[in-house]
Amino acid sequence: MRIISAAIIGLPFITHPVQAADDEKLLNQVVVTDQRDAQIERKESNVQKIVISEEEIERFGDVSVGDILKRLPGTSFTGPAGVTKDVRMRGLDKGYTQFTINGEAVPGATKERQMQVDRLPADMIERIEIIRNPSAEYESGNVGGIVNIVFKQRVDELTRTRIAYGQNGKMDVGDVIVQTSKNWGDIDLLLAASYTKGAENVIEEKKTFNITTGAVSATEYKPKPVDKTEFLFTPRLTWRFGENKLTLEPFISVGTEDKTENNTVRNTTVITSRVATTENKDDKIARLAGRYDGKTAWGTWYAKAGSQQTTSEKDKVTWTQSYNATTGVYTGAKRATEYEDLSESINYAGTGLNFAIGSAQRISAGMEVRQSDYSSRKPKTEQAFSAAGVAGAIVDKSGVRDRFDITEDKLIFFVQDEINLLARHWLTPGIRYERTSREAQGGDGVALSSTQQASNPSLHYRWAIMDDLNLRASLAKTLKLPKFDQLNPLSELKTGTASDPDKAGNPDLLPERAIGLEAGFEKLFMGSRGILGVNFYNREVQDFIEDRTALEGARYVKRPQNVGDAHFWGMELDLRFPLYEKHGHVLNLVGNHSELRGEITSPSKGKLDVKEMPERVSNLGLDYRHRPTASFAGFSVNYIPKFSTHSTNDDGVLEEKTWGSRTGLDLYFGKAFSPLAEVRLIARNVLSVEKKEWTVKRSETTGLITASEFKVERSKPTVMLTFESRF
């Protein structure tokens, strides 16, 4: 707590309370972007999107980007209990959501090429945009949607510091954030840096049942704490030349993740195995991006270029101790090591223009070239030890799939037309052409190449029935290319049995193609301070990809397959409403509810559910402010009711899974001691989130149960105290 004490001393506190509402207004004006402005931007956009402002982010005391996203319609997470890491929009797996930063894709060097949003601090964010159905100018490699994260860009010549400290169970968490900006005539400079320490304090317990008697036949107890850190540096330089400007946006992210798992397995009488795993992961993203925006008599144009280097290194050691299943006597051990080195470099350049045709039509067009080099190295070893501790030889277990290189070249063209049909009707047709060429070379030296071409049309319609009421509809085609490792044809040899199959990729894998239809309305009220939105969506996906295990010759092999077509549909409602504002009391409500549905049509299995897709997700938040004392408090609740899915696991066995209901409760309260200083207490996962999972497997021929288990993950609450200063 010494750091906190020092921070308190350093804050420019004013001892008297803030009495006037004008002071709070001043604080909002100089520090945050108003949510009312965000709602007006949403209303006036011809492409349907949700905009979350800096004001709302600060109001609810969000710590990470994951905290923000979990309050948005149709969003759930598949990571450990209480951890907002692996984002699933509309119930789809995390790889179906496209993340961009300041409008540009910033993939991480992982198989999913997705950033870890739980490590991005919310205080670095100016706004977040959710694009439900892309227009031609947006990335088309998404099915679930696009999340555009915009870092702080406003130059107000303020310096802002924040220090936070807390605990997740008994694990330390906190952050230090510094932001400052300065203007020198035609030059704006903004510097923002943060250091975040996070934690996952999760314990997993699993029970396996005898399918005849129903009694517990084995138990597993697995604490799996994770320590995480993230250093983030996001400077921004803008140099204006009259009406033209040059913008440089470097981006540096350095993260670590240290994981420890200790798994103890018992049968009905004795311990049968102990597995201890330590995993240390380091990832880095370094990016330099620049853009020149010009204005001419006929319209505007831009030119952009950027270069990014991403690396991910993982060092994993697993000790497995074995015991006699009858006597419990120690029989020996095995030490397995795995070092994974993933790297990706991306270079891009593009140009575009925007011009009006008359008073009712505006054309935008652009082109872009991208070149990416992806490298994967994963050497593995195993060493056995006898019960007496005698060490065997170290055996190289690296497979040919553990070494491959891929080069990807992409060419992009788009054109889009915004047409004001009548006084209150806008139509936005467009088309985006993408040509992707890949060349891959595996560990056996064999090279493979493939080329995919796609023309993705889109059409957006907005009818402003009244100044504060929009009716919207859109139709867009999207395409998701297979992941790099999914195309690797080489096999990693295991035992070749159904329970331990060989692993391989599939060079014949087709991309997933989707047609998305959206329709809904949004109503603003109370001077644009309130908004109500209702949206219906439908996605038809061809060549949906899932892993499957099948007998190939004399061995079982697990590889990704185009298992059939998929259909996703649902409804999303979101609401922001000022409930009460009188006599210095201000009460705001934020909420949403989503109904999610999906099914996969397999030629051999018929209709199946989508794995881990909840049927509905609900969120409710209340924020209270007392202006005379400049104090505030609030809560946010995330609720997913109990749901079940009937699908197949990767070996094609019919599987029934049931997930228990989950309720996440976040609380906060605090006080502003002046317009420039604030103290806040935040409590996350106050109810200590539990993630329960029941699994039943059945024989395809008899329908009888062949396996049954129950698993529960429990997370610890997080309590954090923050001190913020602005000067």
Side-chain angles (χ1 to χ4, degrees):
M1 299 294 287
R2 294 177 182 175
I3 296 177
I4 297 179
S5 300
I8 298 174
I9 295 173
L11 292 178
F13 286 152
I14 295 178
T15 56
H16 60 80
V18 182
Q19 295 292 338
D22 289 341
D23 289 336
E24 184 181 67
K25 183 178 179 181
L26 172 65
L27 182 64
N28 288 337
Q29 286 177 338
V30 298
V31 178
V32 298
T33 302
D34 196 287
Q35 182 62 28
R36 182 187 309 183
D37 296 333
Q39 289 168 182
I40 293 173
E41 179 184 347
R42 169 180 172 176
K43 180 194 74 171
E44 294 180 350
S45 171
N46 288 332
V47 177
Q48 188 181 32
K49 62 182 178 181
I50 296 175
V51 183
I52 305 300
S53 72
E54 185 181 7
E55 178 195 29
E56 182 166 316
I57 294 171
E58 291 199 352
R59 177 189 298 167
F60 283 92
D62 295 315
V63 176
S64 71
V65 171
D67 292 334
I68 305 169
L69 296 179
K70 75 179 182 181
R71 296 200 319 271
L72 297 182
T75 304
S76 58
F77 298 85
T78 53
V83 180
T84 54
K85 180 163 59 176
D86 298 331
V87 180
R88 293 174 64 110
M89 291 187 67
R90 295 171 167 176
L92 295 172
D93 195 56
K94 60 182 180 181
Y96 292 90
T97 302
Q98 176 75 53
F99 278 89
T100 61
I101 290 181
N102 296 343
E104 300 290 346
V106 186
T110 62
K111 293 179 180 179
E112 296 289 354
R113 304 177 79 190
Q114 188 182 66
M115 295 191 66
Q116 297 295 316
V117 297
D118 62 319
R119 295 204 315 237
L120 289 177
D123 272 17
M124 300 286 279
I125 309 302
E126 186 164 297
R127 70 181 186 276
I128 290 182
E129 301 170 341
I130 309 298
I131 294 90
R132 289 164 155 166
N133 219 14
S135 63
E137 61 186 325
Y138 290 101
E139 294 281 334
S140 61
N142 69 87
V143 177
I146 299 173
V147 178
N148 183 35
I149 300 169
V150 180
F151 286 132
K152 294 290 178 65
Q153 297 183 353
R154 184 181 54 263
V155 174
D156 50 19
E157 298 199 312
L158 285 175
T159 296
R160 176 183 178 186
T161 62
R162 177 181 124 150
I163 295 180
Y165 173 79
Q167 288 194 319
N168 176 210
K170 294 183 179 180
M171 302 176 70
D172 292 337
V173 296
D175 59 47
V176 177
I177 297 174
V178 178
Q179 300 164 356
T180 188
S181 62
K182 188 68 176 176
N183 168 259
W184 295 281
D186 292 330
I187 298 177
D188 290 337
L189 177 65
L190 185 146
L191 300 175
S194 68
Y195 176 81
T196 304
K197 179 175 175 55
E200 298 175 18
N201 198 340
V202 179
I203 295 176
E204 177 187 312
E205 297 180 69
K206 185 165 71 174
K207 296 179 181 179
T208 303
F209 300 93
N210 184 296
I211 60 174
T212 303
T213 65
V216 176
S217 59
T219 62
E220 296 182 34
Y221 180 78
K222 186 194 298 184
K224 43 183 185 181
V226 180
D227 280 303
K228 301 177 286 188
T229 67
E230 176 85 17
F231 169 75
L232 187 64
F233 182 47
T234 61
R236 178 183 172 90
L237 175 69
T238 303
W239 192 349
R240 289 179 294 276
F241 306 91
E243 294 186 305
N244 302 340
K245 66 178 181 179
L246 172 67
T247 304
L248 299 178
E249 293 181 311
F251 170 75
I252 299 174
S253 170
V254 180
T256 67
E257 192 169 291
D258 299 327
K259 182 187 300 182
T260 303
E261 292 186 2
N262 291 287
N263 188 17
T264 302
V265 183
R266 294 175 176 269
N267 60 21
T268 55
T269 56
V270 297
I271 294 176
T272 58
S273 71
R274 297 181 190 270
V275 181
T277 303
T278 59
E279 182 180 301
N280 302 310
K281 181 179 176 182
D282 300 300
D283 53 65
K284 304 178 183 67
I285 301 176
R287 181 185 185 94
L288 178 61
R291 174 171 168 137
Y292 189 90
D293 290 274
K295 188 173 183 179
T296 67
W298 50 263
T300 62
W301 64 276
Y302 70 86
K304 65 178 183 179
S307 180
Q308 175 179 312
Q309 181 68 42
T310 305
T311 60
S312 177
E313 298 177 353
K314 182 174 69 176
D315 192 358
K316 182 178 179 180
V317 179
T318 303
W319 278 94
T320 303
Q321 297 176 326
S322 301
Y323 299 81
N324 185 286
T326 303
T327 64
V329 175
Y330 173 66
T331 58
K334 180 177 68 175
R335 182 178 186 267
T337 68
E338 177 182 309
Y339 177 76
E340 184 177 61
D341 185 358
L342 306 176
S343 65
E344 181 175 11
S345 63
I346 301 174
N347 299 287
Y348 72 89
T351 185
L353 50 84
N354 185 297
F355 59 91
I357 300 178
S359 60
Q361 193 172 0
R362 179 166 291 276
I363 302 290
S364 57
M367 68 166 293
E368 184 175 339
V369 292
R370 296 181 195 169
Q371 192 275 327
S372 303
D373 292 304
Y374 188 86
S375 172
S376 175
R377 301 289 185 270
K378 193 190 296 184
K380 304 173 186 175
T381 66
E382 276 189 9
Q383 185 177 21
F385 296 82
S386 69
V390 178
I394 298 176
V395 181
D396 185 1
K397 303 295 288 187
S398 303
V400 291
R401 279 180 52 80
D402 295 325
R403 179 187 177 95
F404 65 92
D405 300 277
I406 294 180
T407 298
E408 180 182 85
D409 294 307
K410 181 171 283 191
L411 177 64
I412 301 168
F413 292 97
F414 77 88
V415 61
Q416 181 171 290
D417 190 2
E418 294 183 79
I419 308 169
N420 188 187
L421 295 174
L422 299 170
R424 293 182 175 272
H425 298 265
W426 286 264
L427 195 65
T428 307
I431 189 167
R432 185 182 183 91
Y433 169 81
E434 296 186 358
R435 183 180 186 272
T436 304
S437 299
R438 286 176 172 175
E439 291 189 3
Q441 182 168 316
D444 61 351
V446 176
L448 298 171
S449 62
S450 65
T451 300
Q452 296 287 344
Q453 299 184 71
S455 297
N456 297 322
S458 60
L459 180 65
H460 293 256
Y461 169 70
R462 177 168 75 97
W463 176 18
I465 301 174
M466 295 183 290
D467 290 339
D468 55 6
L469 176 61
N470 276 330
L471 181 67
R472 295 183 179 272
S474 64
L475 182 68
K477 181 181 178 182
T478 56
L479 177 141
K480 181 179 182 295
L481 294 173
K483 295 178 290 187
F484 287 152
D485 65 310
Q486 289 179 320
L487 298 173
N488 187 348
L490 304 175
S491 295
E492 178 184 345
L493 296 181
K494 301 291 186 177
T495 62
T497 61
S499 59
D500 187 25
D502 300 339
K503 295 182 179 179
N506 184 356
D508 298 323
L509 210 58
L510 298 174
E512 296 167 288
R513 303 174 186 271
I515 298 293
L517 175 65
E518 310 267 338
F521 71 88
E522 56 205 10
K523 166 69 175 175
L524 279 71
F525 47 88
M526 298 186 70
S528 298
R529 290 179 297 162
I531 189 169
L532 170 66
V534 177
N535 184 63
F536 297 89
Y537 69 90
N538 186 80
R539 292 283 191 280
E540 300 286 349
V541 184
Q542 294 180 332
D543 300 315
F544 194 69
I545 297 174
E546 285 189 340
D547 286 342
R548 289 290 185 265
T549 298
L551 189 62
E552 299 181 11
R555 302 178 68 88
Y556 282 91
V557 181
K558 176 182 176 181
R559 66 172 79 238
Q561 302 282 359
N562 295 110
V563 298
D565 297 334
H567 179 204
F568 308 100
W569 69 99
M571 181 275 294
E572 299 160 333
L573 178 148
D574 67 298
L575 172 70
R576 286 167 176 79
F577 185 73
L579 288 176
Y580 183 82
E581 187 171 351
K582 196 173 182 180
H583 306 304
H585 300 277
V586 180
L587 184 63
N588 291 292
L589 178 145
V590 175
N592 61 74
H593 177 79
S594 301
E595 293 286 331
L596 314 174
R597 301 292 186 270
E599 63 183 19
I600 301 169
T601 303
S602 168
S604 60
K605 305 290 184 181
K607 293 188 181 299
L608 302 169
D609 295 330
V610 179
K611 295 179 180 179
E612 207 164 339
M613 173 182 281
E615 293 184 347
R616 54 189 57 88
V617 180
S618 300
N619 294 275
L620 179 67
L622 279 176
D623 174 72
Y624 168 75
R625 309 228 159 209
H626 187 240
R627 285 174 170 166
T629 60
S631 56
F632 52 88
F635 70 84
S636 179
V637 178
N638 176 273
Y639 177 68
I640 300 177
K642 184 176 180 179
F643 67 97
S644 299
T645 61
H646 299 262
S647 59
T648 58
N649 57 19
D650 56 45
D651 59 4
V653 174
L654 294 175
E655 192 173 69
E656 301 173 9
K657 280 184 175 287
T658 299
W659 285 268
S661 62
R662 278 173 276 169
T663 302
L665 174 62
D666 299 336
L667 304 173
Y668 63 92
F669 64 89
K671 179 177 176 60
F673 290 85
S674 82
L676 302 177
E678 178 181 292
V679 180
R680 183 187 296 258
L681 181 64
I682 302 168
R684 299 287 185 214
N685 293 330
V686 175
L687 300 179
S688 182
V689 171
E690 285 190 342
K691 185 179 180 181
K692 297 179 180 179
E693 180 181 322
W694 293 265
T695 302
V696 174
K697 299 179 182 179
R698 295 183 181 274
S699 168
E700 289 189 72
T701 55
T702 65
L704 297 177
I705 295 175
T706 59
S708 177
E709 69 177 34
F710 168 72
K711 183 174 72 174
V712 60
E713 289 181 338
R714 296 183 175 90
S715 65
K716 300 291 185 181
T718 297
V719 179
M720 185 180 294
L721 188 63
T722 71
F723 299 91
E724 206 166 286
S725 172
R726 307 175 183 98
F727 51 91

